[in-house]
Amino acid sequence: KINGLPLGMAMKLPDGREAVHARIGGTASVAGQLYQAETGNIHLADTMYAKSLIPASAYAVGATTVAFTTGGTTAVDTDRFQDGWLIAANSAGSGGQGYLYKIKSNNSAASGSATCTLTLYETDGLKIAVLTGTTLFGVVENKYRAVELTTANTVGHPVLGVACNSAAASAYVWLQTKGEASVKIGGTTLTERYPVVASTGVAGVIATVTAVLSGTAVTADRKGTFQNVGVNISGPAANGFAVVELNIG
């Protein structure tokens, strides 16, 4: 990590531009291209990780170490959930349902009823006691842990920022989220002073917002319309780079 900073930490420059700390996934980053959370990111393939994990025991208020029993089909690798989130997803009693906690680290654990231990940040211990048998946990990965180019489809993965520079795969970087930035456009020239979004036809680039009017209803995909990236300031030729006033996140 850059100076040991947590993933997702924001940095604001004196000129007002902002960026977030992230880690590139398995392919080197390209300066000026748009990045999103890893495909399939948020929770592991076994859906019980999102909402149905069984605590290994009861835990008192203030506890910063908690454990759960792993899912039947998916193992957990070391620090998979580092800087991610633990949620008390469901409770039949007074087990703190609805509280969210920041994860500092986790051990590795095999699939099929092994014990995975989470260490929470010291300032984020349990607010409410957890009662075994009544509370169910969910765990969520940090969305900045393995970022990738926005994809050429309408799937609505969270758009996270624009690469400030090129970097090797798995490198820790800054992704710009606000202020003026140079951003790659696709095969269609942008309209100046119009909002821009992630392209649904070309990976890693932006496009002008479009929507289709059908009768009295506007139909649009969740990625190409509802995740606003910013406003185009200068519109170069197709496949070039534009100056965009970013407003991501």
Side-chain angles (χ1 to χ4, degrees), residues 39-184:
T39 303
N41 173 275
I42 303 304
H43 58 77
L44 296 177
D46 189 332
T47 56
M48 72 178 294
Y49 282 93
K51 59 185 178 181
S52 305
L53 297 170
I54 300 171
S57 67
Y59 298 101
V61 172
T64 55
T65 300
V66 299
F68 62 82
T69 302
T70 59
T73 60
T74 307
V76 177
D77 50 314
T78 300
D79 288 341
R80 178 67 179 253
F81 300 109
Q82 186 178 62
D83 293 330
W85 303 96
L86 169 71
I87 185 172
N90 194 16
S91 178
S94 56
Q97 181 178 358
Y99 282 91
L100 187 70
Y101 304 98
K102 189 80 167 178
I103 300 169
K104 186 175 183 179
S105 62
N106 68 268
N107 69 321
S108 63
S111 61
S113 301
T115 298
C116 180
T117 301
L118 305 175
T119 300
L120 307 178
Y121 276 90
E122 293 80 0
T123 56
D124 208 10
L126 296 182
K127 308 297 189 298
I128 302 292
V130 170
L131 306 178
T132 184
T134 63
T135 301
L136 295 177
F137 286 151
V139 285
V140 176
E141 300 172 33
N142 187 292
K143 62 186 176 183
Y144 298 99
R145 67 178 296 271
V147 303
E148 63 184 17
L149 282 178
T150 53
T151 49
N153 53 43
T154 60
V155 179
H157 296 290
V159 175
L160 303 180
V162 173
C164 298
N165 55 273
S166 298
S170 300
Y172 290 94
V173 299
W174 292 101
L175 297 179
Q176 189 174 341
T177 57
K178 297 188 185 299
E180 293 85 352
S182 173
V183 188
K184 177 77 171 177

Side-chain angles (χ1 to χ4, degrees), residues 171-243:
Y172 290 94
V173 299
W174 292 101
L175 297 179
Q176 189 174 341
T177 57
K178 297 188 185 299
E180 293 85 352
S182 173
V183 188
K184 177 77 171 177
I185 70 173
T188 302
T189 302
L190 301 181
T191 304
E192 290 189 17
R193 296 178 295 281
Y194 268 57
V196 293
V197 293
S199 170
T200 58
V202 181
V205 306
I206 55 173
T208 301
V209 173
T210 59
V212 177
L213 183 62
S214 177
T216 59
V218 174
T219 60
D221 65 86
R222 55 184 173 167
K223 175 180 179 180
T225 299
F226 299 118
Q227 292 195 69
N228 181 47
V229 169
V231 176
N232 174 43
I233 296 175
S234 69
N239 300 308
F241 287 81
V243 178

